[in-house]
Amino acid sequence: MFRPAPELALGKKLELGVEMPGRTHWDAVLDRLQTTALVEVGRRLQVDVSEASLVHLQSNLVVALPAARLVVRVAGAGSLDAVSSSVEVTRWLRSCGFPCVEPVGSPFLWEDKVLSAWKLLDLDADRPPSGSELGQVLRQLHDQAPPPFELRRLTDPLSDAAAAVNSPTGMAEGDRRWLSGRIGQMRRHWEELAPAQTRGLIHGDAHPGNLFRLQWGGGLVLGDWDGVSLGPREWDLVQIHYFARRFKRYDESDLEQFTQSYAWDVRDWEGFEHLMLLREIYSLSSYIWRAATEPWARDEVAHRVQTLREGDATAAWNSPQRQPWR
């Protein structure tokens, strides 16, 4: 049975009050947002920014502005180029009739954060999208011609993980040395990658938790475009398999629906396991950055690295998304 990622999507308003990893830091961010940055959002877009509420917290923070029918996504200052690309690409894709989230205005820097505004969605939480529907949407995306403007290429997906490992972290020194060596090895695998599919436009984080069903009409929209780039289509196709393997969120039926709908099985490609491992290491970066100050992230990095060092491809990993606010 298809089980969507339990992350908190755009348009789902939540009540605050349950402790969550990293919440103290982001509470302070929200306080500053309400008094300064959201005022600037309101000024730039000429909208009402009252009654802001925290919607989502993971690598990004999402704040809902119900009166303005907007959400504001807050990312790190180093993500300005990625967020700018996501705005440009989604605006172009919507003009082509592709079902994706709709940006409003342009992203901007505020202190050490990047803010971008998007139209608020009314979502049908009771009818999560299926693996088949994700396959259909990805097939439609991958059949798109490249955009008529310059777009970054996915040349080194492990650059952030490498930077995180080489920064002051809460990792054990033995784990840090092992992971640094493994990253070097996987970078060589990436350079030698021989994709079976044509390289082209890819989403970068294509799993069912980023596909949303609208409450009215039942249409679908694909969100979270910070990883959009030109690269191997296989990078998008392994994501649902990574979630099935490490988080047990999808079963074989989901994977078969996805494969049949997309009309190609990435598991038949000889580079599948290499790309799966690369995707697993790629996913470590946000946890490593937070491990120096947040015990839950330090424990999770240690757990994941241990399973990787032991070659355990079936061990379940944990995610703070399993501890949402009510």
Side-chain angles (χ1 to χ4, degrees):
M1 178 181 177
F2 181 77
R3 296 180 300 277
E7 54 203 29
L8 312 179
L10 305 184
K12 185 174 182 181
K13 188 174 180 181
L14 303 173
E15 298 177 1
L16 302 183
V18 176
E19 288 300 323
M20 186 176 179
R23 186 170 174 241
T24 300
H25 166 69
W26 286 110
D27 277 349
V29 171
L30 183 58
D31 288 343
R32 296 200 307 276
L33 281 171
Q34 289 175 316
T35 57
T36 55
L38 290 185
V39 172
E40 178 64 12
V41 170
R43 187 192 69 79
R44 291 183 181 222
L45 300 180
Q46 294 297 294
V47 297
D48 183 356
V49 297
S50 63
E51 300 181 356
S53 61
L54 198 55
V55 173
H56 175 76
L57 171 59
Q58 177 58 8
S59 55
N60 293 304
L61 177 149
V62 179
V63 178
L65 304 177
R69 298 295 300 164
L70 295 177
V71 292
V72 175
R73 299 181 78 240
V74 185
S79 64
L80 180 60
D81 288 345
V83 175
S84 297
S85 289
S86 73
V87 168
E88 187 175 25
V89 169
T90 52
R91 191 165 280 140
W92 167 72
L93 282 172
R94 287 188 62 85
S95 74
C96 298
F98 183 84
C100 61
V101 290
E102 183 174 356
V104 177
S106 301
F108 66 93
L109 276 169
W110 170 76
E111 293 186 358
D112 60 342
K113 305 295 178 204
V114 175
L115 283 79
S116 58
W118 305 78
K119 286 194 175 179
L120 185 69
L121 303 175
D122 293 314
L123 303 183
D124 187 345
D126 296 327
R127 293 191 300 145
S130 67
S132 176
E133 288 171 318
L134 177 64
Q136 291 171 12
V137 170
L138 274 184
R139 180 78 273 170
Q140 183 180 351
L141 176 66
H142 291 174
D143 285 343
Q144 290 276 349
F149 46 80
E150 287 295 320
L151 185 61
R152 60 180 177 164
R153 296 181 180 273
L154 185 61
T155 56
D156 182 10
L158 295 184
S159 59
D160 194 45
V165 168
N166 291 324
S167 69
T169 73
M171 295 178 64
E173 181 59 24
D175 284 350
R176 191 197 65 79
R177 288 196 302 269
W178 180 88
L179 188 55
S180 179
R182 194 63 162 152
I183 287 172
Q185 181 184 40
M186 295 312 298
R187 277 174 152 172
R188 291 190 291 273
H189 281 307
W190 175 262
E191 292 172 357
E192 297 165 359
L193 190 71
Q197 300 286 303
T198 305
R199 295 176 186 265
L201 182 65
I202 59 175
H203 176 270
D205 194 17
H207 62 81
N210 282 332
L211 186 63
F212 311 130
R213 190 183 307 282
L214 299 178
Q215 188 172 20
W216 311 113
L220 299 169
V221 292
L222 187 59
D224 196 354
W225 289 82
D226 289 356
V228 67
S229 64
L230 299 176
R233 268 58 184 266
E234 290 85 352
W235 186 245
D236 277 349
L237 300 178
V238 301
Q239 182 73 327
I240 189 172
H241 297 281
Y242 160 65
F243 272 72
R245 177 178 291 186
R246 289 305 189 183
F247 303 105
K248 317 303 180 187
R249 291 182 183 170
Y250 313 114
D251 60 22
E252 189 60 31
S253 174
D254 302 323
L255 301 180
E256 286 303 320
Q257 289 179 27
F258 172 79
T259 295
Q260 291 175 15
S261 183
Y262 187 83
W264 185 68
D265 194 340
V266 68
R267 292 169 294 186
D268 293 337
W269 172 54
E270 63 180 6
F272 173 71
E273 287 298 336
H274 281 311
L275 202 60
M276 279 285 284
L277 179 56
L278 201 146
R279 171 61 83 168
E280 290 172 341
I281 294 175
Y282 166 88
S283 73
L284 288 174
S285 58
S286 63
Y287 294 86
I288 296 172
W289 287 118
R290 299 168 76 170
T293 57
E294 300 179 45
W296 68 270
R298 188 178 314 127
D299 292 344
E300 185 60 18
V301 168
H303 169 62
R304 294 190 183 191
V305 172
Q306 179 182 356
T307 62
L308 291 171
R309 294 185 71 168
E310 294 174 350
D312 187 347
T314 62
W317 290 357
N318 305 299
S319 169
Q321 292 172 347
R322 293 189 179 279
Q323 306 170 47
W325 291 293
R326 60 174 180 264

